[in-house]
Amino acid sequence: MKRKKKPSLAVWKFASCDGCQLTLLNCEEDFLAIPDEITIAIFKEASRGVAKGPYDLSLVEGSITTPHDAKKIQKIRKESRMLVTIGACATAGGIQALRNFKEVEEFLSIVYAKPDFIETLESSTPISAHVKVDFELRGCPVEKSQLLEVIKAFLQGRKPGISSASVCLECKRRGNICLMVSQGVPCLGPVTHAGCGAICPSFNRACYGCFGPMETPNTASLTKNWREIGTGDQEILRLFRSYNASAEPFQAAGEAHEKKDH
């Protein structure tokens, strides 16, 4: 009897810190079991081996920041049956998307001695701005159990069981006292996608939104609450402009307070 061919997995990197790929490696024993179910075709963080496409599943880390990358992601999309973006850079442009709010040419002249040799786009954009994405897994970096769930869901032909709730729900499950209520500090937990396990609030530090905006976040209501506890426009702008500054709900909220600040 002919053995059924195992589905192929390709892991790709664009502009990023490699943290989300390292999360996959940090799955340790669970990761070691992956080759029994999937053929790892490309994963340069872990192996020099490169197999030609097409690929059944592509995991993409990083944002698009150069003309070369903009062309490369089109090629990857054509060669991938399913394409999943992992992490804040791939889903929202990442921390490097802060450049989107300033003049790129100014950065080039300050950072590089020979800026004439640098080819870059005006902005850092998520993968979904360039190609169709089948699923987005948020986080900076992504959480390993969620990453494994995405891979397992693919193998089983189902939708990944990833919660669309906010970090506040995770705080309640851990029995955390709300920092905004008890200490009067601004926290992004009410509008941030769950997945981190409320790590920061559990250590008495307000959430800073590394998992990006939750489904239908009410940023207007949250900023109204922040104002009531004495948070100014400049601080509100800073809170929304971090790991997921280019995610549409956070970008719109930031721009609204940037206008007020000026």
Side-chain angles (χ1 to χ4, degrees):
M1 182 177 178
K2 188 176 180 181
R3 188 176 180 182
K4 186 178 179 181
K5 183 181 178 182
K6 291 189 292 187
S8 57
L9 169 69
V11 183
W12 308 92
K13 169 185 164 58
F14 289 92
S16 62
C17 70
D18 287 32
C20 293
Q21 293 180 82
L22 290 174
T23 297
L24 183 54
L25 291 176
N26 287 339
C27 290
E28 298 171 339
E29 291 183 2
D30 291 309
F31 177 69
L32 292 176
I34 287 176
D36 293 334
E37 304 291 336
I38 291 178
T39 297
I40 300 178
I42 296 176
F43 187 7
K44 293 183 179 180
E45 193 81 15
S47 172
R48 289 180 296 176
V50 175
K52 292 183 178 180
Y55 310 102
D56 292 296
L57 172 63
S58 278
L59 300 178
V60 182
E61 176 193 68
S63 64
I64 303 300
T65 59
T66 69
H68 173 267
D69 287 349
K71 292 179 180 178
K72 183 179 177 181
I73 192 59
Q74 296 289 341
K75 185 175 185 292
I76 291 171
R77 175 68 269 190
K78 290 177 181 178
E79 294 182 334
S80 306
R81 187 166 71 85
M82 298 286 289
L83 189 149
V84 174
T85 51
I86 56 173
C89 295
T91 61
I95 196 74
Q96 56 270 29
L98 289 172
R99 67 192 252 187
N100 301 356
F101 306 101
K102 299 293 182 179
E103 292 295 330
V104 173
E105 294 300 324
E106 182 181 352
F107 290 142
L108 290 175
S109 63
I110 293 172
V111 175
Y112 298 99
K114 298 287 186 180
D116 296 346
F117 297 101
I118 304 298
E119 287 189 46
T120 187
L121 298 173
E122 287 294 319
S123 59
S124 171
T125 48
I127 302 300
S128 61
H130 300 266
V131 297
K132 177 182 178 292
V133 171
D134 296 297
F135 190 80
E136 293 184 324
L137 184 63
R138 300 183 181 278
C140 187
V142 292
E143 200 276 327
K144 65 180 183 180
S145 65
Q146 288 193 336
L147 182 55
L148 287 171
E149 164 60 16
V150 168
I151 296 173
K152 290 175 182 177
F154 162 74
L155 289 172
Q156 297 166 1
R158 60 174 174 81
K159 182 180 178 181
I162 305 297
S163 173
S164 60
S166 72
V167 171
C168 286
L169 183 60
E170 294 183 312
C171 267
K172 289 184 180 295
R173 285 174 175 165
R174 295 190 64 162
N176 294 337
I177 296 174
C178 180
L179 294 173
M180 282 202 297
V181 173
S182 64
Q183 298 183 28
V185 296
C187 178
L188 277 162
V191 296
T192 297
H193 201 288
C196 65
I199 295 175
C200 292
S202 298
F203 287 91
N204 206 39
R205 202 277 186 207
C207 170
Y208 52 90
C210 61
F211 269 63
M214 63 171 290
E215 188 176 319
T216 62
N218 192 339
T219 56
S221 178
L222 179 62
T223 52
K224 180 182 178 182
N225 183 283
W226 286 348
R227 285 191 174 285
E228 291 174 356
I229 59 176
T231 310
D233 284 313
Q234 190 61 36
E235 177 67 4
I236 293 173
L237 178 63
R238 185 190 66 79
L239 286 164
F240 281 116
R241 286 190 179 171
S242 60
Y243 299 90
N244 291 273
S246 198
E248 196 281 325
F250 286 4
Q251 180 174 328
E255 287 175 348
H257 292 280
E258 183 176 39
K259 292 174 182 177
K260 288 182 180 180
D261 188 58
H262 292 290

